[in-house]
């Protein structure tokens, strides 16, 4: 953490303006340069009530090129934001590469206020840990953080609040509840100090700015934004200590793929009985989830031609079309590429009460992107933790999560590819790429095993589905979904 | 309107399956082909309760390639959707070019239900007119509409509802309120017939499908989706009758640009008095708007170097950063390009209570796109009506709208360009393109005059701001905004 305090001699208006005028062309040039780079700059504006956070935002907007800057205020969440995982709105607001995002209020606001109001220390600490993970994830992806904490003493706060009371017409903000602010000053100070200390790191450092003098405060902000823009302009991804972020080799465990009985086959009469049974169970469960405003995320991954589409359709057939969406993922578009790879998956999460089905998913990062080399080793290696964290956020947002890997043998895949080439309306399903992917089977297999090992969590467990017999696969999926929802509804 | 009725002979299961199997490869191929084209296919699924709309959606999702298909259900709007203009959620859901969007429920649902419940005929008619405009706008942009109305008789409806009552476990939907549905059957039928007739047109034709036989219903849907995909695959933009869509020459009116007194100059002492006066008035008005959950859209257009940025900053300085967003528009990204040009402007509208400032705007269509030839003549010529319709929707959504054109002379612009080249932190503001645009001054002038003439409406009036003296411009903008909000709050 860096601390900035005004000198004993007050900064004169002339001197302030002279120094700002010197900085402005530099800021403009640095901003121009970083726009072509790979890094977004994320400016977190926080601090004590009355320290002038809004004034700093106005100043930043004056200095920066508006075409590359966006300001997001996190105030009271809207109803639809409340009906999504807590971090959803923060993810939505993240600036793309080459852009500056100024955040007024942030992921720090709620934990600190809740702790002031009595949140347990353990839960407060867990929230700070989530913040560290979130910031680290973005920083490792290239984001440059500028976290600013504007501080004033209780005495200065009181003076400023008195001034607002006397001249409300000179201020753009709502009158804060003065008594309450002053009464909780010490507690707030103590708790935010703890938050700052715990979330201060090399990848996202805090800057603690004494804001008793407005000019010093603004000048400090100007200097710091210049530094941040220059860092982003260099677009060097931060140095990642290999030992920490490279996945170690997989422990010598029993293979999950190998332990599946691929010969499993449901007799026809049993299927005809089980399919409607599970489908109607799922229908009713989906309505119960809807009524309790709870959601389901079902992730489908598997070998090409393993039967994902057919399994998904047996699920959706039992759902009211108003209650679900199927999201298919292929290559990201340019807006999606400009963000962290998880951004586009966050984006799709609907308000509570819905079922979302991912036809392929964020696991692409540790499957196709790993095997084809679209992601660097350190990138996919740290993705396991990032994905677990993503799913934890979703689970905390009131979701049940089920993840399916549809498993077939390489021989079975070959049979199906050939079959597809014969059946005219299935031809579109098979491309030269599918054939190429087949050659990399062992490397995909390795990636799948590691994925199953590292991302099989309590809140988001994997089910490996034997899929040689499509009917077995479908019943397994339906049964698992029913049990997942029943357990979830019992537990919640 | 085309009407489809089953023959006297029932369609056997075998015959149905045989014909579907013949259609499926054709659908798949047509879908594959249209994905590379310029047209989205918009499938509107509507009709009588119990006619099997959901079943058709399940079937369509089985036949189409999931990677190019999205299904949107418009059911109860969420809180955040209610806090935006009514058409916002429809716009958000529009498929991009080369994609199929299946809409369960649509812009037809509310007008028909409201009319059944007593909406005045005049207002019903106005809503149908809005629908025609909306669909025409998209169709002229290349969208292929497939509007399906699934019909059953009251007798069949009663039978089906009885069946649901007897075997609720066989159905995925919620039980409709049977009594109510049957009691309003005739009225609903009459009103929807009126809606269908009024919104039936060459660009978005209705298909009225007798759905007493499920197999006939599905087979008809399969044939029609194939037709729609094939039409989209040809990607020919619909023939636009020139007489209707080409703007006629501008009537010989007094020039609005010419009638502005560019020599207007506010004395320094007056400015120093007026600026804080209007700013604090605006502060209070913005909070009043927020408290009443009303919104402001302020659009800024003007010559390069006319002082838009400075004027915008004088506005935002008086606003709490939590109450506004400034959206700057430059070239659209690929997702934006895949949609109608207004889509990206719809997108930015926040929930009610906020101020949105457009720094450049949807008027680019009739300014830069017109002059530079990025839009064809018929495209920009019909944009005036489209823009007026867009702003009408916004106004109806509880917005006050103010639009500013900042006017300077060509000589003044030259002076400012040279000044910008001298001042180091303003250099980024001037590019070779700016110089090139200057050469097209008379053609831009013509475009501006036509824009001011054709889009100056009661709900969204233009203010031409004399901007030679920047202070005059700023005060004019602030004063206009204050009056706009005062009038709006008085009126609402």
């Amino acid at each position: 953490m860096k601390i900035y305090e005004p000198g004993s001699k007050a900064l004169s208006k002339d001197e302030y303006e002279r120094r700002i005028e010197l900085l402005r062309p530099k800021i403009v040039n640095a901003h121009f340069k970083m726009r072509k780079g790979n890094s977004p700059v994320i400016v977190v504006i926080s601090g004590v009530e009355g320290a002038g956070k809004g004034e700093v935002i106005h100043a930043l907007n004056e200095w920066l090129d508006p075409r590359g800057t966006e300001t997001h205020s996190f105030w009271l969440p809207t109803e639809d934001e409340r009906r999504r995982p807590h971090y959803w709105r923060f993810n939505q607001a993240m600036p793309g590469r080459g852009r500056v995002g100024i955040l007024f209020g942030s992921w720090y606001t709620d934990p600190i206020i809740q702790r002031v109001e009595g949140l347990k220390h353990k839960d407060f600490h867990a929230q700070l840990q989530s913040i560290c993970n979130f910031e680290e994830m973005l920083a490792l992806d290239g984001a440059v953080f500028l976290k600013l904490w504007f501080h004033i003493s209780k005495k200065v706060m009181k003076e400023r609040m008195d001034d607002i009371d006397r001249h409300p017409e000179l201020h753009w903000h709502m009158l804060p509840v003065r008594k309450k602010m002053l009464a909780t000053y010490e507690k707030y100070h103590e708790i935010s100090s703890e938050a700052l200390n715990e979330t201060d790191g090399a990848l996202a450092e805090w800057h603690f700015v004494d804001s008793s003098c407005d000019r010093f405060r603004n000048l400090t902000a100007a200097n710091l934004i210049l530094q941040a823009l220059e860092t982003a302009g260099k677009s060097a991804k931060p140095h990642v200590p290999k030992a920490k972020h490279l996945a170690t080799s997989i422990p010598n465990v029993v293979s999950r793929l190998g332990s599946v009985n691929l010969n499993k086959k449901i007799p026809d009469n049993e299927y005809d009985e089980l399919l409607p049974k599970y489908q109607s169970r799922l229908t009713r469960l989906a309505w119960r989830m809807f009524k309790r405003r709870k959601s389901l995320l079902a992730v489908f991954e598997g070998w090409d031609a393993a039967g994902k589409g057919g399994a998904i359709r047996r699920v959706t057939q039992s759902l009211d079309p108003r209650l679900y969406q199927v999201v298919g993922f292929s290559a990201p578009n340019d807006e999606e590429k400009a963000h962290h790879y998880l951004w586009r998956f966050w984006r799709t999460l609907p308000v509570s009460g819905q079922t979302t089905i991912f036809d392929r998913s964020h696991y692409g990062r540790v499957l196709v992107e790993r095997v084809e080399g679209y992601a660097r080793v350190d990138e996919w290696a740290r993705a396991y933790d990032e994905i677990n964290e993503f799913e934890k956020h979703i689970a905390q947002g009131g979701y049940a999560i089920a993840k399916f890997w549809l498993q077939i043998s390489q021989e079975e895949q070959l049979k199906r590819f050939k079959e597809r080439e014969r059946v005219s309306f299935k031809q579109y399903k098979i491309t030269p790429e599918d054939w190429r992917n087949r050659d990399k089977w062992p490397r995909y297999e390795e990636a799948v095993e590691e994925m199953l090992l590292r991302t099989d969590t309590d809140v988001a467990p994997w089910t490996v589905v034997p899929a040689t017999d499509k009917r077995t696969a479908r019943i397994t999926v339906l049964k698992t979904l029913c049990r997942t929802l029943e357990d979830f509804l019992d537990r919640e």
Side-chain angles (χ1 to χ4, degrees), chain A:
Chain A
M1 189 169 350
K2 292 221 178 70
I3 295 171
Y4 306 81
E5 285 175 327
S8 54
K9 200 164 148 258
L11 195 62
S12 74
K13 187 161 183 277
D14 284 353
E15 177 66 7
Y16 169 74
E17 281 174 1
R18 196 184 61 81
R19 290 170 69 177
I20 288 288
E21 289 314 303
L22 282 173
L23 282 168
R24 284 190 68 178
K26 290 184 191 163
I27 290 174
V28 164
N29 286 332
H31 193 189
F32 190 76
K33 206 172 150 200
M34 68 79 73
R35 287 178 71 179
K36 290 163 194 158
N38 269 319
S39 292
V41 170
I42 301 171
V43 186
V44 174
I45 303 281
S46 38
V48 179
E49 193 72 31
K53 300 188 285 283
E55 307 299 338
V56 171
I57 289 171
H58 284 142
L60 287 171
N61 274 302
E62 183 153 0
W63 303 329
L64 292 161
D65 183 348
R67 288 168 294 189
T69 312
E70 51 202 78
T71 303
H72 297 278
S73 296
F74 299 104
W75 196 17
L76 313 171
T78 68
E79 178 63 28
D80 285 20
E81 286 169 346
R82 271 193 293 269
R83 288 180 60 191
R84 288 192 169 96
H86 181 60
Y87 269 58
W88 185 84
R89 63 175 181 150
F90 301 128
N91 270 283
Q92 291 310 291
M94 287 302 104
R97 302 180 202 288
R99 295 183 64 80
V100 177
I102 300 172
L103 311 185
F104 186 19
S106 66
W107 38 89
Y108 288 98
T109 317
D110 276 1
I112 291 175
I113 289 179
Q114 285 171 15
R115 174 80 178 129
V116 170
E117 289 170 354
L119 180 74
K120 280 185 191 153
H121 187 266
K122 186 175 141 271
D123 297 330
F124 178 57
H125 183 78
Q127 290 199 34
L128 297 181
Q129 191 52 51
S130 285
I131 290 176
C132 290
N133 294 340
F134 181 65
E135 292 179 352
E136 181 182 288
M137 176 187 89
L138 295 169
L140 289 173
D141 190 49
V144 172
F145 275 93
L146 175 56
K147 300 197 292 186
L148 297 168
W149 186 272
F150 297 102
H151 174 76
I152 47 173
S153 67
K154 190 172 181 180
K155 183 164 157 281
V156 173
M157 185 199 254
K158 188 170 180 318
E159 283 165 14
R160 292 196 179 170
M161 291 202 172
D162 287 346
D163 188 57
I164 295 180
D165 281 353
R166 271 195 308 273
H167 305 289
E169 74 284 1
L170 296 180
H171 298 270
W172 44 251
H173 38 54
M174 266 203 300
L175 303 187
V177 190
R178 182 154 65 107
K179 269 190 192 162
K180 198 179 152 197
M181 285 295 156
L182 290 168
T184 57
Y185 181 91
E186 283 83 7
K187 199 168 180 188
Y188 182 84
H189 181 70
E190 182 196 335
I191 287 165
S192 22
S193 301
E194 193 179 343
L196 265 61
N197 279 319
E198 280 203 44
T199 58
D200 189 43
L203 294 171
E205 192 178 20
W206 273 108
H207 300 270
F208 185 93
V209 184
D210 182 325
S211 307
S212 47
C213 164
D214 293 356
R215 289 175 198 145
F216 174 79
R217 176 198 65 207
N218 281 14
L219 191 61
T220 308
N223 275 307
L224 289 172
I225 188 74
L226 174 59
Q227 275 176 34
L229 293 168
E230 284 174 346
T231 307
K234 287 176 205 139
S235 259
K237 293 211 176 176
H239 175 71
V240 184
K242 290 225 170 179
K244 187 176 170 198
H245 289 289
L246 279 192
T248 51
S249 63
I250 315 178
N252 189 11
V253 288
V254 177
S255 151
R256 277 192 72 176
L257 296 185
S259 63
V260 176
N261 175 7
L262 290 178
N263 299 322
K264 210 171 166 186
K265 192 175 180 337
I266 285 187
D268 282 3
N269 58 344
E270 205 176 310
Y271 179 76
D272 292 343
E273 187 196 313
L274 289 177
L275 184 73
K277 181 184 139 191
Y278 283 118
Q279 283 191 327
S280 76
R281 230 166 101 183
L282 189 58
T283 302
R284 290 192 304 274
L285 284 163
W287 280 113
R288 280 179 62 198
M289 292 290 279
F290 171 76
K291 277 168 197 156
R292 290 177 53 184
R293 292 284 183 277
K294 296 295 177 187
S295 312
L296 167 66
L297 173 64
V299 172
F300 286 83
E301 291 282 357
W303 298 105
D304 289 333
K308 286 191 295 293
I312 289 173
R313 273 199 299 279
R314 295 318 176 285
V315 174
T316 56
Q317 275 168 2
S318 34
L319 300 176
D320 189 313
R322 290 169 294 198
L323 290 194
Y324 76 87
Q325 59 167 346
V326 179
V327 195
F329 292 100
S330 48
N333 66 31
D334 58 3
E335 194 173 349
E336 291 166 344
K337 272 186 222 146
H339 287 86
H340 187 269
Y341 75 94
L342 283 175
W343 182 79
R344 63 178 180 142
F345 302 99
W346 271 104
R347 239 183 140 181
T348 62
L349 300 177
V351 294
S352 56
Q354 308 283 316
T355 287
T356 300
I357 293 172
F358 281 0
D359 184 354
R360 304 203 182 272
S361 68
H362 46 294
Y363 284 97
R365 187 71 164 184
V366 294
L367 297 172
V368 58
E369 291 191 43
R370 163 181 172 164
V371 174
E372 304 296 335
Y374 303 147
R376 292 196 320 265
V377 179
D378 62 301
E379 286 174 334
W380 63 255
R382 67 171 177 267
Y384 301 106
D385 286 347
E386 293 172 350
I387 287 172
N388 288 337
E389 187 79 9
F390 171 52
E391 293 175 352
K392 195 178 85 186
H393 280 296
I394 294 176
Q396 285 169 349
Y399 274 73
I401 306 177
K403 303 185 295 198
F404 299 100
W405 175 264
L406 270 64
Q407 176 66 3
I408 50 173
S409 69
Q410 202 171 0
E411 297 69 42
E412 177 65 23
Q413 190 189 49
L414 183 65
K415 212 176 98 193
R416 293 188 185 182
F417 277 14
K418 287 186 171 161
E419 162 79 8
R420 282 186 175 182
E421 289 187 326
R422 271 197 304 276
V423 181
S424 56
F425 74 83
K426 285 189 170 173
Q427 278 168 1
Y428 79 90
K429 285 189 162 184
I430 184 120
T431 63
E433 205 189 317
D434 292 325
W435 287 104
R436 277 196 300 275
N437 289 346
R438 259 184 75 74
D439 296 339
K440 295 170 189 151
W441 188 280
R443 291 174 57 202
Y444 271 103
E445 213 162 27
E446 191 184 8
V448 174
E449 292 280 14
E450 185 162 357
M451 169 188 86
L452 293 173
L453 183 71
R454 293 190 183 276
T455 61
D456 191 40
T457 60
D458 284 348
V459 294
W462 276 104
T463 302
V464 180
V465 180
T468 315
D469 177 46
K470 289 189 178 176
R471 299 182 153 191
T472 303
R474 289 164 191 176
I475 295 297
T476 309
V477 164
L478 283 166
K479 194 157 98 182
T480 308
L481 282 177
C482 288
R483 291 200 179 153
T484 302
L485 293 180
E486 279 155 1
D487 289 353
F488 181 86
L489 285 164
D490 284 350
R491 205 171 55 231
E492 287 286 308

